[in-house]
PDB file of all heavy atoms in Angstrom:
ATOM      1  N   GLN N 512       9.901  -2.994  -3.223  1.00  0.00           N
ATOM      2  CA  GLN N 512      11.293  -3.110  -3.670  1.00  0.00           C
ATOM      3  C   GLN N 512      11.583  -2.335  -4.953  1.00  0.00           C
ATOM      4  O   GLN N 512      12.723  -1.926  -5.191  1.00  0.00           O
ATOM      5  CB  GLN N 512      11.679  -4.580  -3.845  1.00  0.00           C
ATOM      6  CG  GLN N 512      11.637  -5.400  -2.571  1.00  0.00           C
ATOM      7  CD  GLN N 512      12.388  -4.744  -1.424  1.00  0.00           C
ATOM      8  OE1 GLN N 512      13.572  -4.410  -1.550  1.00  0.00           O
ATOM      9  NE2 GLN N 512      11.700  -4.550  -0.307  1.00  0.00           N
ATOM     10  N   MET N 513      10.582  -2.123  -5.794  1.00  0.00           N
ATOM     11  CA  MET N 513      10.839  -1.442  -7.067  1.00  0.00           C
ATOM     12  C   MET N 513      11.243   0.022  -6.879  1.00  0.00           C
ATOM     13  O   MET N 513      11.766   0.653  -7.802  1.00  0.00           O
ATOM     14  CB  MET N 513       9.615  -1.535  -7.978  1.00  0.00           C
ATOM     15  CG  MET N 513       8.411  -0.751  -7.503  1.00  0.00           C
ATOM     16  SD  MET N 513       6.998  -0.957  -8.615  1.00  0.00           S
ATOM     17  CE  MET N 513       6.507  -2.626  -8.228  1.00  0.00           C
ATOM     18  N   PHE N 514      11.044   0.556  -5.662  1.00  0.00           N
ATOM     19  CA  PHE N 514      11.390   1.953  -5.403  1.00  0.00           C
ATOM     20  C   PHE N 514      12.627   2.085  -4.510  1.00  0.00           C
ATOM     21  O   PHE N 514      13.003   3.181  -4.138  1.00  0.00           O
ATOM     22  CB  PHE N 514      10.207   2.666  -4.741  1.00  0.00           C
ATOM     23  CG  PHE N 514       8.918   2.471  -5.485  1.00  0.00           C
ATOM     24  CD1 PHE N 514       7.901   1.685  -4.959  1.00  0.00           C
ATOM     25  CD2 PHE N 514       8.737   3.047  -6.730  1.00  0.00           C
ATOM     26  CE1 PHE N 514       6.719   1.489  -5.652  1.00  0.00           C
ATOM     27  CE2 PHE N 514       7.556   2.861  -7.439  1.00  0.00           C
ATOM     28  CZ  PHE N 514       6.545   2.073  -6.896  1.00  0.00           C
ATOM     29  N   ILE N 515      13.244   0.957  -4.168  1.00  0.00           N
ATOM     30  CA  ILE N 515      14.382   0.947  -3.263  1.00  0.00           C
ATOM     31  C   ILE N 515      15.686   0.982  -4.049  1.00  0.00           C
ATOM     32  O   ILE N 515      15.915   0.146  -4.928  1.00  0.00           O
ATOM     33  CB  ILE N 515      14.369  -0.307  -2.367  1.00  0.00           C
ATOM     34  CG1 ILE N 515      13.039  -0.430  -1.606  1.00  0.00           C
ATOM     35  CG2 ILE N 515      15.552  -0.287  -1.412  1.00  0.00           C
ATOM     36  CD1 ILE N 515      12.761   0.667  -0.619  1.00  0.00           C
ATOM     37  N   VAL N 516      16.541   1.946  -3.744  1.00  0.00           N
ATOM     38  CA  VAL N 516      17.887   2.004  -4.329  1.00  0.00           C
ATOM     39  C   VAL N 516      18.856   1.228  -3.441  1.00  0.00           C
ATOM     40  O   VAL N 516      19.627   0.384  -3.907  1.00  0.00           O
ATOM     41  CB  VAL N 516      18.355   3.462  -4.494  1.00  0.00           C
ATOM     42  CG1 VAL N 516      19.801   3.510  -4.995  1.00  0.00           C
ATOM     43  CG2 VAL N 516      17.431   4.219  -5.433  1.00  0.00           C
ATOM     44  N   SER N 517      18.815   1.508  -2.147  1.00  0.00           N
ATOM     45  CA  SER N 517      19.653   0.795  -1.182  1.00  0.00           C
ATOM     46  C   SER N 517      19.044   0.968   0.197  1.00  0.00           C
ATOM     47  O   SER N 517      18.294   1.913   0.447  1.00  0.00           O
ATOM     48  CB  SER N 517      21.087   1.321  -1.195  1.00  0.00           C
ATOM     49  OG  SER N 517      21.109   2.692  -0.817  1.00  0.00           O
ATOM     50  N   CYS N 518      19.367   0.038   1.086  1.00  0.00           N
ATOM     51  CA  CYS N 518      18.865   0.084   2.454  1.00  0.00           C
ATOM     52  C   CYS N 518      19.987  -0.249   3.432  1.00  0.00           C
ATOM     53  O   CYS N 518      20.718  -1.226   3.218  1.00  0.00           O
ATOM     54  CB  CYS N 518      17.728  -0.918   2.668  1.00  0.00           C
ATOM     55  SG  CYS N 518      16.146  -0.410   2.024  1.00  0.00           S
ATOM     56  N   PRO N 519      20.111   0.506   4.522  1.00  0.00           N
ATOM     57  CA  PRO N 519      21.087   0.133   5.544  1.00  0.00           C
ATOM     58  C   PRO N 519      20.713  -1.162   6.249  1.00  0.00           C
ATOM     59  O   PRO N 519      21.558  -1.861   6.793  1.00  0.00           O
ATOM     60  CB  PRO N 519      21.060   1.325   6.514  1.00  0.00           C
ATOM     61  CG  PRO N 519      19.737   1.974   6.289  1.00  0.00           C
ATOM     62  CD  PRO N 519      19.407   1.761   4.846  1.00  0.00           C
ATOM     63  N   GLN N 520      19.411  -1.484   6.205  1.00  0.00           N
ATOM     64  CA  GLN N 520      18.942  -2.717   6.838  1.00  0.00           C
ATOM     65  C   GLN N 520      17.650  -3.152   6.161  1.00  0.00           C
ATOM     66  O   GLN N 520      16.675  -2.397   6.127  1.00  0.00           O
ATOM     67  CB  GLN N 520      18.689  -2.494   8.336  1.00  0.00           C
ATOM     68  CG  GLN N 520      18.099  -3.705   9.047  1.00  0.00           C
ATOM     69  CD  GLN N 520      17.641  -3.372  10.458  1.00  0.00           C
ATOM     70  OE1 GLN N 520      18.108  -2.416  11.060  1.00  0.00           O
ATOM     71  NE2 GLN N 520      16.717  -4.156  10.978  1.00  0.00           N
ATOM     72  N   GLN N 521      17.647  -4.355   5.613  1.00  0.00           N
ATOM     73  CA  GLN N 521      16.427  -4.910   5.049  1.00  0.00           C
ATOM     74  C   GLN N 521      15.727  -5.762   6.102  1.00  0.00           C
ATOM     75  O   GLN N 521      16.336  -6.153   7.109  1.00  0.00           O
ATOM     76  CB  GLN N 521      16.733  -5.745   3.809  1.00  0.00           C
ATOM     77  CG  GLN N 521      17.082  -4.929   2.568  1.00  0.00           C
ATOM     78  CD  GLN N 521      15.857  -4.366   1.862  1.00  0.00           C
ATOM     79  OE1 GLN N 521      14.817  -4.131   2.476  1.00  0.00           O
ATOM     80  NE2 GLN N 521      15.990  -4.134   0.564  1.00  0.00           N
ATOM     81  N   LEU N 522      14.459  -6.048   5.871  1.00  0.00           N
ATOM     82  CA  LEU N 522      13.710  -6.906   6.775  1.00  0.00           C
ATOM     83  C   LEU N 522      13.919  -8.366   6.391  1.00  0.00           C
ATOM     84  O   LEU N 522      14.222  -8.677   5.229  1.00  0.00           O
ATOM     85  CB  LEU N 522      12.221  -6.554   6.709  1.00  0.00           C
ATOM     86  CG  LEU N 522      11.837  -5.143   7.146  1.00  0.00           C
ATOM     87  CD1 LEU N 522      10.330  -4.925   7.011  1.00  0.00           C
ATOM     88  CD2 LEU N 522      12.273  -4.870   8.584  1.00  0.00           C
ATOM     89  N   PRO N 523      13.765  -9.288   7.339  1.00  0.00           N
ATOM     90  CA  PRO N 523      13.962 -10.712   7.035  1.00  0.00           C
ATOM     91  C   PRO N 523      12.746 -11.302   6.327  1.00  0.00           C
ATOM     92  O   PRO N 523      12.080 -12.208   6.822  1.00  0.00           O
ATOM     93  CB  PRO N 523      14.166 -11.320   8.427  1.00  0.00           C
ATOM     94  CG  PRO N 523      13.374 -10.435   9.338  1.00  0.00           C
ATOM     95  CD  PRO N 523      13.507  -9.052   8.783  1.00  0.00           C
ATOM     96  N   ILE N 524      12.461 -10.767   5.137  1.00  0.00           N
ATOM     97  CA  ILE N 524      11.323 -11.203   4.329  1.00  0.00           C
ATOM     98  C   ILE N 524      11.851 -11.595   2.953  1.00  0.00           C
ATOM     99  O   ILE N 524      12.681 -10.893   2.373  1.00  0.00           O
ATOM    100  CB  ILE N 524      10.267 -10.081   4.206  1.00  0.00           C
ATOM    101  CG1 ILE N 524       9.687  -9.734   5.589  1.00  0.00           C
ATOM    102  CG2 ILE N 524       9.138 -10.494   3.260  1.00  0.00           C
ATOM    103  CD1 ILE N 524       8.711  -8.576   5.574  1.00  0.00           C
ATOM    104  N   THR N 525      11.373 -12.708   2.421  1.00  0.00           N
ATOM    105  CA  THR N 525      11.847 -13.225   1.140  1.00  0.00           C
ATOM    106  C   THR N 525      11.519 -12.265   0.002  1.00  0.00           C
ATOM    107  O   THR N 525      10.399 -11.767  -0.106  1.00  0.00           O
ATOM    108  CB  THR N 525      11.193 -14.589   0.852  1.00  0.00           C
ATOM    109  OG1 THR N 525      11.527 -15.498   1.906  1.00  0.00           O
ATOM    110  CG2 THR N 525      11.671 -15.152  -0.484  1.00  0.00           C
ATOM    111  N   ILE N 526      12.510 -12.008  -0.845  1.00  0.00           N
ATOM    112  CA  ILE N 526      12.293 -11.223  -2.056  1.00  0.00           C
ATOM    113  C   ILE N 526      12.122 -12.195  -3.218  1.00  0.00           C
ATOM    114  O   ILE N 526      13.011 -13.001  -3.515  1.00  0.00           O
ATOM    115  CB  ILE N 526      13.457 -10.249  -2.312  1.00  0.00           C
ATOM    116  CG1 ILE N 526      13.517  -9.215  -1.179  1.00  0.00           C
ATOM    117  CG2 ILE N 526      13.288  -9.550  -3.656  1.00  0.00           C
ATOM    118  CD1 ILE N 526      14.633  -8.202  -1.309  1.00  0.00           C
ATOM    119  N   LEU N 527      10.978 -12.146  -3.861  1.00  0.00           N
ATOM    120  CA  LEU N 527      10.607 -13.079  -4.917  1.00  0.00           C
ATOM    121  C   LEU N 527      11.054 -12.572  -6.286  1.00  0.00           C
ATOM    122  O   LEU N 527      11.322 -11.382  -6.473  1.00  0.00           O
ATOM    123  CB  LEU N 527       9.082 -13.262  -4.915  1.00  0.00           C
ATOM    124  CG  LEU N 527       8.465 -13.835  -3.637  1.00  0.00           C
ATOM    125  CD1 LEU N 527       6.951 -13.694  -3.672  1.00  0.00           C
ATOM    126  CD2 LEU N 527       8.860 -15.290  -3.468  1.00  0.00           C
ATOM    127  N   PRO N 528      11.119 -13.466  -7.286  1.00  0.00           N
ATOM    128  CA  PRO N 528      11.401 -13.024  -8.654  1.00  0.00           C
ATOM    129  C   PRO N 528      10.380 -11.982  -9.123  1.00  0.00           C
ATOM    130  O   PRO N 528       9.218 -11.997  -8.711  1.00  0.00           O
ATOM    131  CB  PRO N 528      11.286 -14.320  -9.468  1.00  0.00           C
ATOM    132  CG  PRO N 528      11.606 -15.412  -8.490  1.00  0.00           C
ATOM    133  CD  PRO N 528      11.023 -14.946  -7.187  1.00  0.00           C
ATOM    134  N   LYS N 529      10.821 -11.111  -9.996  1.00  0.00           N
ATOM    135  CA  LYS N 529      10.011  -9.956 -10.391  1.00  0.00           C
ATOM    136  C   LYS N 529       9.028 -10.290 -11.518  1.00  0.00           C
ATOM    137  O   LYS N 529       9.356 -11.035 -12.442  1.00  0.00           O
ATOM    138  CB  LYS N 529      10.947  -8.831 -10.852  1.00  0.00           C
ATOM    139  CG  LYS N 529      10.263  -7.515 -11.152  1.00  0.00           C
ATOM    140  CD  LYS N 529      11.297  -6.463 -11.523  1.00  0.00           C
ATOM    141  CE  LYS N 529      10.661  -5.114 -11.817  1.00  0.00           C
ATOM    142  NZ  LYS N 529      11.688  -4.104 -12.191  1.00  0.00           N
ATOM    143  N   LEU N 530       7.832  -9.736 -11.424  1.00  0.00           N
ATOM    144  CA  LEU N 530       6.833  -9.783 -12.485  1.00  0.00           C
ATOM    145  C   LEU N 530       6.510  -8.343 -12.863  1.00  0.00           C
ATOM    146  O   LEU N 530       6.253  -7.507 -11.992  1.00  0.00           O
ATOM    147  CB  LEU N 530       5.568 -10.502 -12.009  1.00  0.00           C
ATOM    148  CG  LEU N 530       4.432 -10.629 -13.040  1.00  0.00           C
ATOM    149  CD1 LEU N 530       4.831 -11.591 -14.158  1.00  0.00           C
ATOM    150  CD2 LEU N 530       3.137 -11.110 -12.363  1.00  0.00           C
ATOM    151  N   THR N 531       6.513  -8.035 -14.157  1.00  0.00           N
ATOM    152  CA  THR N 531       6.317  -6.662 -14.615  1.00  0.00           C
ATOM    153  C   THR N 531       5.146  -6.586 -15.578  1.00  0.00           C
ATOM    154  O   THR N 531       5.054  -7.395 -16.519  1.00  0.00           O
ATOM    155  CB  THR N 531       7.579  -6.142 -15.330  1.00  0.00           C
ATOM    156  OG1 THR N 531       8.698  -6.274 -14.458  1.00  0.00           O
ATOM    157  CG2 THR N 531       7.420  -4.674 -15.723  1.00  0.00           C
ATOM    158  N   VAL N 532       4.254  -5.638 -15.360  1.00  0.00           N
ATOM    159  CA  VAL N 532       3.194  -5.348 -16.331  1.00  0.00           C
ATOM    160  C   VAL N 532       3.801  -4.453 -17.399  1.00  0.00           C
ATOM    161  O   VAL N 532       4.317  -3.384 -17.107  1.00  0.00           O
ATOM    162  CB  VAL N 532       2.009  -4.617 -15.668  1.00  0.00           C
ATOM    163  CG1 VAL N 532       0.886  -4.402 -16.687  1.00  0.00           C
ATOM    164  CG2 VAL N 532       1.486  -5.393 -14.478  1.00  0.00           C
ATOM    165  N   VAL N 533       3.721  -4.896 -18.656  1.00  0.00           N
ATOM    166  CA  VAL N 533       4.361  -4.116 -19.722  1.00  0.00           C
ATOM    167  C   VAL N 533       3.389  -3.541 -20.747  1.00  0.00           C
ATOM    168  O   VAL N 533       3.660  -2.494 -21.334  1.00  0.00           O
ATOM    169  CB  VAL N 533       5.444  -4.941 -20.452  1.00  0.00           C
ATOM    170  CG1 VAL N 533       6.632  -5.174 -19.545  1.00  0.00           C
ATOM    171  CG2 VAL N 533       4.897  -6.274 -20.949  1.00  0.00           C
ATOM    172  N   ALA N 534       2.259  -4.206 -20.994  1.00  0.00           N
ATOM    173  CA  ALA N 534       1.322  -3.685 -21.992  1.00  0.00           C
ATOM    174  C   ALA N 534       0.022  -4.486 -21.941  1.00  0.00           C
ATOM    175  O   ALA N 534       0.031  -5.651 -21.578  1.00  0.00           O
ATOM    176  CB  ALA N 534       1.934  -3.780 -23.393  1.00  0.00           C
ATOM    177  N   PRO N 535      -1.106  -3.886 -22.355  1.00  0.00           N
ATOM    178  CA  PRO N 535      -1.193  -2.427 -22.532  1.00  0.00           C
ATOM    179  C   PRO N 535      -1.192  -1.751 -21.178  1.00  0.00           C
ATOM    180  O   PRO N 535      -1.614  -2.339 -20.185  1.00  0.00           O
ATOM    181  CB  PRO N 535      -2.536  -2.251 -23.237  1.00  0.00           C
ATOM    182  CG  PRO N 535      -3.361  -3.398 -22.737  1.00  0.00           C
ATOM    183  CD  PRO N 535      -2.399  -4.554 -22.554  1.00  0.00           C
ATOM    184  N   ILE N 536      -0.692  -0.551 -21.126  1.00  0.00           N
ATOM    185  CA  ILE N 536      -0.649   0.173 -19.861  1.00  0.00           C
ATOM    186  C   ILE N 536      -1.793   1.185 -19.849  1.00  0.00           C
ATOM    187  O   ILE N 536      -1.733   2.198 -20.546  1.00  0.00           O
ATOM    188  CB  ILE N 536       0.692   0.881 -19.660  1.00  0.00           C
ATOM    189  CG1 ILE N 536       1.832  -0.143 -19.670  1.00  0.00           C
ATOM    190  CG2 ILE N 536       0.708   1.656 -18.349  1.00  0.00           C
ATOM    191  CD1 ILE N 536       3.214   0.451 -19.548  1.00  0.00           C
ATOM    192  N   PRO N 537      -2.869   0.897 -19.117  1.00  0.00           N
ATOM    193  CA  PRO N 537      -3.978   1.850 -19.059  1.00  0.00           C
ATOM    194  C   PRO N 537      -3.578   3.069 -18.245  1.00  0.00           C
ATOM    195  O   PRO N 537      -2.556   3.055 -17.560  1.00  0.00           O
ATOM    196  CB  PRO N 537      -5.085   1.051 -18.352  1.00  0.00           C
ATOM    197  CG  PRO N 537      -4.341   0.071 -17.504  1.00  0.00           C
ATOM    198  CD  PRO N 537      -3.084  -0.264 -18.270  1.00  0.00           C
ATOM    199  N   PRO N 538      -4.346   4.151 -18.315  1.00  0.00           N
ATOM    200  CA  PRO N 538      -4.069   5.292 -17.441  1.00  0.00           C
ATOM    201  C   PRO N 538      -3.980   4.809 -16.004  1.00  0.00           C
ATOM    202  O   PRO N 538      -4.751   3.932 -15.580  1.00  0.00           O
ATOM    203  CB  PRO N 538      -5.276   6.207 -17.650  1.00  0.00           C
ATOM    204  CG  PRO N 538      -5.804   5.836 -18.997  1.00  0.00           C
ATOM    205  CD  PRO N 538      -5.540   4.363 -19.146  1.00  0.00           C
ATOM    206  N   PRO N 539      -3.007   5.303 -15.216  1.00  0.00           N
ATOM    207  CA  PRO N 539      -2.819   4.796 -13.857  1.00  0.00           C
ATOM    208  C   PRO N 539      -4.075   4.845 -12.994  1.00  0.00           C
ATOM    209  O   PRO N 539      -4.276   3.994 -12.156  1.00  0.00           O
ATOM    210  CB  PRO N 539      -1.722   5.711 -13.304  1.00  0.00           C
ATOM    211  CG  PRO N 539      -0.945   6.108 -14.509  1.00  0.00           C
ATOM    212  CD  PRO N 539      -1.965   6.260 -15.605  1.00  0.00           C
ATOM    213  N   ILE N 540      -4.928   5.865 -13.184  1.00  0.00           N
ATOM    214  CA  ILE N 540      -6.219   5.893 -12.493  1.00  0.00           C
ATOM    215  C   ILE N 540      -7.286   6.006 -13.572  1.00  0.00           C
ATOM    216  O   ILE N 540      -7.804   7.089 -13.861  1.00  0.00           O
ATOM    217  CB  ILE N 540      -6.315   7.055 -11.490  1.00  0.00           C
ATOM    218  CG1 ILE N 540      -5.165   6.980 -10.476  1.00  0.00           C
ATOM    219  CG2 ILE N 540      -7.644   7.026 -10.754  1.00  0.00           C
ATOM    220  CD1 ILE N 540      -5.163   8.076  -9.445  1.00  0.00           C
ATOM    221  N   PRO N 541      -7.610   4.888 -14.234  1.00  0.00           N
ATOM    222  CA  PRO N 541      -8.534   4.954 -15.367  1.00  0.00           C
ATOM    223  C   PRO N 541      -9.962   5.277 -14.937  1.00  0.00           C
ATOM    224  O   PRO N 541     -10.438   4.799 -13.915  1.00  0.00           O
ATOM    225  CB  PRO N 541      -8.448   3.550 -15.977  1.00  0.00           C
ATOM    226  CG  PRO N 541      -7.953   2.676 -14.879  1.00  0.00           C
ATOM    227  CD  PRO N 541      -7.111   3.544 -13.995  1.00  0.00           C
ATOM    228  N   ASN N 542     -10.609   6.095 -15.706  1.00  0.00           N
ATOM    229  CA  ASN N 542     -12.000   6.465 -15.454  1.00  0.00           C
ATOM    230  C   ASN N 542     -12.669   6.652 -16.810  1.00  0.00           C
ATOM    231  O   ASN N 542     -12.336   7.588 -17.523  1.00  0.00           O
ATOM    232  CB  ASN N 542     -12.061   7.762 -14.643  1.00  0.00           C
ATOM    233  CG  ASN N 542     -13.477   8.080 -14.178  1.00  0.00           C
ATOM    234  OD1 ASN N 542     -14.330   7.210 -14.191  1.00  0.00           O
ATOM    235  ND2 ASN N 542     -13.712   9.318 -13.796  1.00  0.00           N
ATOM    236  N   PRO N 543     -13.558   5.766 -17.261  1.00  0.00           N
ATOM    237  CA  PRO N 543     -14.172   4.666 -16.515  1.00  0.00           C
ATOM    238  C   PRO N 543     -13.208   3.493 -16.291  1.00  0.00           C
ATOM    239  O   PRO N 543     -12.100   3.500 -16.834  1.00  0.00           O
ATOM    240  CB  PRO N 543     -15.340   4.257 -17.423  1.00  0.00           C
ATOM    241  CG  PRO N 543     -14.865   4.599 -18.797  1.00  0.00           C
ATOM    242  CD  PRO N 543     -14.079   5.873 -18.636  1.00  0.00           C
ATOM    243  N   PRO N 544     -13.630   2.483 -15.517  1.00  0.00           N
ATOM    244  CA  PRO N 544     -12.749   1.351 -15.209  1.00  0.00           C
ATOM    245  C   PRO N 544     -12.306   0.599 -16.460  1.00  0.00           C
ATOM    246  O   PRO N 544     -12.966   0.625 -17.500  1.00  0.00           O
ATOM    247  CB  PRO N 544     -13.632   0.459 -14.316  1.00  0.00           C
ATOM    248  CG  PRO N 544     -14.643   1.388 -13.738  1.00  0.00           C
ATOM    249  CD  PRO N 544     -14.905   2.414 -14.796  1.00  0.00           C
ATOM    250  N   THR N 545     -11.165  -0.085 -16.334  1.00  0.00           N
ATOM    251  CA  THR N 545     -10.671  -0.933 -17.415  1.00  0.00           C
ATOM    252  C   THR N 545     -11.665  -2.069 -17.660  1.00  0.00           C
ATOM    253  O   THR N 545     -12.015  -2.799 -16.732  1.00  0.00           O
ATOM    254  CB  THR N 545      -9.304  -1.523 -17.038  1.00  0.00           C
ATOM    255  OG1 THR N 545      -8.401  -0.451 -16.733  1.00  0.00           O
ATOM    256  CG2 THR N 545      -8.744  -2.352 -18.178  1.00  0.00           C
TER     257      THR N 545
END
Side-chain angles (χ1 to χ4, degrees):
Q512 297 310 305
M513 68 182 73
F514 309 110
I515 305 296
V516 175
S517 62
C518 282
Q520 176 190 337
Q521 286 280 27
L522 297 179
I524 297 176
T525 301
I526 296 179
L527 299 168
K529 186 177 181 181
L530 180 69
T531 304
V532 183
V533 290
I536 300 177
I540 304 180
N542 188 17
T545 304

